[in-house]
Each structure stands twice: as structure tokens, then as C-alpha cells.
Amino acid sequence: MSEPFAVVDVIIAKRDGHRILDEQLDWVIDAYTRGAIADEQMAALAMAIVWRGMEPTELARWTAAMIASGERLDLSGLDRPTADKHSTGGVGDKITLPLAPLVAAHGVAVPQLSGRGLGHTGGTLDKLESIPGWRAGVSNEDFLAQLRSVGAVVCAAGAGLAPADRKLYALRDVTGTVESIPLIASSIMSKKIAEGSSALVLDVKVGTGAFMKTVESARELAETMVGLGTAHGVRTVALLTDMSTPLGFTAGNALEVRESVEVLAGGGPFDVVELTLALAREMLAAAGKGDVDPADALRDGRAMDVWRAMIRAQGGEPDAALPIAREKHVLTAVASGVLSRVDAYAVGIAAWRLGAGRARQDDPVSFGAGVVLLAKPGDLVTAGQPLVELHAMSRSASSAPSRHSNPALSSAAS
Ligand code: URA
């Protein structure tokens, strides 16, 4: 098939700081998805976008083309409103696990297409796959049926949803072109808009463990995504939340499932409960149920009931024992004082190296591996007190760093 444009012209235009024409934008996304543009050419264009950015109207057209590259789910036939949440990714970010059943327990359907972890950030699907029998793959028919019967589905996006992003994200991952506000915003929002929810709450993380290290860049990303969602008729709001310290006390797949179940049982770490409730309030309000107190369903067990039904519907056994690491190594405080910082990025890297994460999309993960924090910033600690547990399947993975090479923890003498 003869192509209407030469991709090199588009690359040069963007490299030199010009806006790409609407017809060229539509064509680039379509041609790349069907294999008519080579990876090296798309990589060059992505790098030009990293450097030159995109104008708002240009980004809107690019995102619309990404959505149009695949199917758009129609959830309008459901008997209740829908709301979804997306986090830009962090360390110990297990919030989807208690949040989806909590919001569903209040009569709002939660269609949540989630991802796997890459690098130092964990992925919701990896966490749930640590539950014996649970499967991430759900057909479109089963997706709709589960939304009707249970009210919440957390699963992998099907191949038909925004295929342009699937291909482009994998390319960006290996070409140093992930860190770009227009590329991140269009990648996330094309999938979320195609998923068909009528309301979306964005949890934009900021801090060392997040993609966005400063409040200014996180705000710009949030505003860009809210603008794209709103333009496509999705009620979209964003919260900027801290990711300089891991959420809760655990980072690692089965460890985080256990902590999430504690939240569903009415307990759990304060920061995880607080963020779960804050996001639930926003989702309920966006779905027209701003007058309900989401905490009720944690207290009376309704959220736990939905969780159990949600896990069972995807083949999982909610009461099965979760994988446990074979090896544990404890790091202790080198001095007495106040723990001033637990660096989210360093903890994420540690969990990843212990086996909880993957270096490539198809690497296996070790479900029992990860990090357990025994103290958080602000805690008084005494020399020799256990501060961190490293969990791994093999001794070599969990062997301790030297006393002075532990960048995750810093303390101030009191
Ligand atoms: N998550 C996505 O889905 N896309 C990005 O570009 C970054 C994070």
C-alpha cells in the first residue's frame, strides 16, 4: 500500500520544533500500528517529541489517533455508574487492591485495566497473580459479566485496546523516551479512555519513587491528563500524592496483597487507608455519589465481601496461603536517633533486585520477594534495632549491603 506521507518529513518537522499536521498525526499512529513505520523511525520521532514537546491541540489529535488504533469498550449498558482510578506508579502502591472493591461496595462499577511492574515500580497484576489461581486475562464478555455480578474487575488490557500504545510504550521503554509529559499523558489516557469508564480519578505521584520528581512537573502531567480526559467526555480529576516514602510497610507482590487485605479487614497502615479513602471519595463523587462515606464499607465488611468475590471470579482462592520468601535478612539501625527518610526509589530498587520486579516485560517475578519496613520516617530508633527486612527466594539475592551502603535509610541523631 502506498503511504501518503514520508515519515522522515514528520521526524524532521518535529525535530525542528514545528507542529505535526493533523493528517500526519493520524497517519503516523495508524502506520506504526500496522507495521508500515519502522521502530527506529518511531524511536527518532519519540525522541524529537521528548525534546520539543507537543502543543495541546497536537497532543489531543495524537491521543485520539491512539484511541482509534483499537476498540473502545462500551459500558453504557451497565445498571450503575462507572469510575476508574489510575496511578502513575510508585513503590508499595497497592491502593487499587482495597480501592476497587471498596468503591464497588458502594454501587459504583470499577473497570480497572492494570499493568505489570517495570523497573523500580510495582505492578498491580503482579501483586494479584501472587494469589494462587488468580488470572489477569479476562475476555470482553467476562469483563462485562463480572462488572454486572461483582461490580469490580482488575485485569490486563486486551490486545485490542489502544494497540498503538502497547507497541509504542515497549519501544519507549528501550529507547530512553518514557520521560515526556505528552508521551506519558497520551499513553495513559488513550488506554483509560478506550476502557469506557465515565469517570476517572488520577493519582499522580510525586517524589523520588515516582516518574515525576517535582510538584511542578507532576502538576503539569496532571493538568495535561485531566484536559485529555475531559475533552473525551470522561469526568476526570487528579490528586497529586507523595511518593518520596513507600506507601505502607511493604513493597513486593504477596507482601502487598497481605497488607491490602488488612486494610479491607478494617486495619492496615494509616497512609494506605488514608489514600484509599481519599481516592474512593473522589471516585464516588465523580460517579454522582458524593454523599457516601466510603469508610463504612471497610468497617462493616462489605468491601471485603466484594474483594473475595472479585478474586474468585478470576479463578483465585482468597483464603489460600500466599507465597512466602525462603530467605530473610534484617538490617538494623547503625545509630540511635529519629528516622528522617526512607527513600522510595531505593526501596523500590531493593525490592526489584530481591526478585519482586522484572527487568524485561516477560521476565518472571518472585511473588514472595520484597522489602518490609519496620520503621517509618519520624520514628525514634535505637542502635541495633531492626529497621528493614529483605525477603528473597535465595540467600544470594537477600545478602546484606554493608552498614554504610544503605542509601534507603537516613537518620538524624536525637
Ligand atoms: N504508564 C503508562 O501507561 N504509560 C507511560 O508512558 C508511563 C506510565
Side-chain angles (χ1 to χ4, degrees), residues 204-216:
V204 180
K205 301 284 185 205
V206 55
T208 60
F211 278 126
M212 298 294 132
K213 310 290 182 203
T214 65
V215 173
E216 291 71 33

Side-chain angles (χ1 to χ4, degrees), residues 299-322:
R299 282 191 285 267
D300 64 19
R302 276 179 298 144
M304 180 68 97
D305 292 343
V306 178
W307 161 261
R308 295 171 67 80
M310 181 179 104
I311 297 303
R312 282 217 173 91
Q314 287 168 248
E317 177 39 69
D319 296 318
L322 293 167

Side-chain angles (χ1 to χ4, degrees), residues 86-88 165 169 172 178 180 183-185 187-188 191 211:
H86 180 83
S87 157
T88 54
D165 178 64
Y169 188 74
R172 287 168 54 217
V178 170
S180 147
L183 291 178
I184 294 175
S187 164
I188 292 173
K191 287 175 289 209
F211 278 126

Side-chain angles (χ1 to χ4, degrees), residues 99-114:
L99 179 66
L102 174 60
V103 172
H106 288 285
V108 173
V110 183
Q112 171 116 38
L113 301 176
S114 295

